[in-house]
Structure formats: C-alpha cells, structure tokens
Amino acid sequence: METFPDRSVIINDRRKSLSEWGKQDSGCYPELIESPTARYFSRAERSWISSIDTALIDYLAGNYPEPRSLTFAVLHGDLAFEQVRLLPDGEVYFFDFGDLSWGPVAHELAQFLRGFAAEPIPRQRWLDLKAGLLAGYRSEHSLSVADEDAIEVFLLNRVLAVARYVLELHGNSAAPGGAEVIKQGYRLAAEILHGPHQPQQI
C-alpha cells in the first residue's frame, strides 16, 4: 500500500479515515434493545451486553491512543479472512477495498485479529495466532511500542463499531446471524477486559 496510486487522495480524506477508526463514544446496547435482533438475546445476555458496553466505553475513554504517536499508512479498512485468497501460484490476493482509509497500522492489525475469533476458539489458540500475525508483520515492517500497545485498544473499539454496524445494516429485520456476530465480539471483549473464564474459549 506504500505505492498505492491514489495515496494522496486517501490521506486528504480525513472524514473518511476517522469514520473507519475513530473512537466509539457509545455502546450498542441502546440500539440493540430497540431492534428486532434483540429477540435472539436472552434477558441474561442483554444484561451482559449492557455491562460489557459500559466497560468498553470506560476503557476506551481512558486508553484510546493519541493518533500522532502512531505509525500511519493506507489501510484496507476491512481486512478479514473473507477478503483474502491464496492464488494457485502461491501469491496472496486481497480484494474489496471499499473501506480504504488513512490510519494507524495498529488498527489494521486489530481488525484482522478480530477475525481470528469470528468463531469460538480456545483462548491459547487465539493468542498463538496473534503472536504469529505480529511476528510476520514485524519481519517486514517495524512496529513501535505505541503501535503494539494500541492494537488491543483498536480491537475493542472495533468490537463496538462492528456491533453497531450490524444493527444498522439489518435495520428493521431480525438477524440471527448478526446476533451471533455481536455475541462473539462481546465474548472476545470480555476476555480482554476481564481475563479468561471457564471454559477458556473466545
């Protein structure tokens, strides 16, 4: 992305960039309880979502990084496994660049890490995948201490952003698949904020 031809246009589109990685200032609970998708959450799950929402907003308010301290680049913006293919010649092909923006590389890594837990997996497996991703990235590009510290914060920010996006996307229709996306994101957030629980799965 360092030689992307429209790099200057993307860098100058500040509004677009902030909409992709800017800090979330509210949780998804208010929208959730008013949406048809709420039917796929038990009373206990709704209470749990509310408590994680509060913890997430408090955490982000106290830990969101100062952007000027981070390494910036042109970002894919929606980097996930479904946007990547391995070609027959062994080359990796990335597609769906509709969310291109200028932002912290830590956000891009956080977005990809979020996808590692798209389905429940053992916590240690997720940690191993995280370590492998970061080791691979460091083999090609440097990451500052500030960049590495920001990854977890951006991941939690992304959990909120995705949950709110799912509710907005489905609007007035109930979406069991969307409910699962939200629940899985909040499980991951709970693990990061409060530590592992039994069973150790995220």
Side-chain angles (χ1 to χ4, degrees):
M1 304 295 278
E2 293 175 350
T3 58
F4 191 77
D6 293 327
R7 180 184 177 90
S8 60
V9 174
I10 295 167
I11 291 173
N12 290 329
D13 193 348
R14 303 295 183 181
R15 182 177 297 180
K16 165 69 173 175
S17 295
L18 280 175
S19 73
E20 293 299 331
W21 58 267
K23 180 166 67 73
Q24 298 294 305
D25 293 319
S26 61
C28 84
Y29 182 73
E31 290 91 343
L32 172 65
I33 59 173
E34 296 296 329
S35 75
T37 300
R39 75 176 66 174
Y40 298 107
F41 291 79
S42 67
R43 180 176 296 178
E45 286 174 328
R46 294 180 198 180
S47 176
W48 174 71
I49 290 286
S50 178
S51 69
I52 299 299
D53 252 8
T54 300
L56 279 169
I57 294 301
D58 288 346
Y59 179 86
L60 292 173
N63 294 279
Y64 204 79
E66 166 52 55
R68 288 175 295 183
S69 69
L70 304 176
T71 304
F72 272 52
V74 176
L75 308 181
H76 179 283
D78 190 26
L79 192 59
F81 288 114
E82 58 266 28
Q83 319 286 28
V84 185
R85 292 292 183 270
L86 187 63
L87 299 179
D89 63 1
E91 290 293 316
V92 177
Y93 176 72
F94 295 90
F95 60 97
D96 192 357
F97 285 83
D99 292 312
L100 273 177
S101 63
W102 176 249
V105 296
H107 179 276
E108 193 87 313
L109 293 168
Q111 163 65 8
F112 201 54
L113 278 171
R114 167 69 182 84
F116 285 6
E119 300 292 339
I121 62 173
R123 177 179 174 80
Q124 189 56 52
R125 175 61 174 157
W126 186 80
L127 291 173
D128 290 344
L129 289 168
K130 175 182 177 181
L133 173 66
L134 296 184
Y137 187 88
R138 286 192 212 96
S139 72
E140 298 292 334
H141 299 280
S142 62
L143 278 176
S144 70
V145 172
D147 291 332
E148 293 203 34
D149 289 345
I151 291 172
E152 193 168 274
V153 184
F154 282 130
L155 192 154
L156 292 170
N157 194 60
R158 187 68 179 183
V159 166
L160 274 178
V162 168
R164 298 178 70 188
Y165 172 73
V166 166
L167 292 172
E168 179 183 332
L169 180 67
H170 293 288
N172 295 323
S173 61
E180 287 307 311
V181 169
I182 294 171
K183 291 178 186 179
Q184 190 55 28
Y186 273 68
R187 289 187 199 107
L188 176 58
E191 289 279 353
I192 292 172
L193 290 169
H194 304 307
H197 58 277
Q198 295 296 329
Q200 288 196 356
Q201 181 170 280
I202 58 178

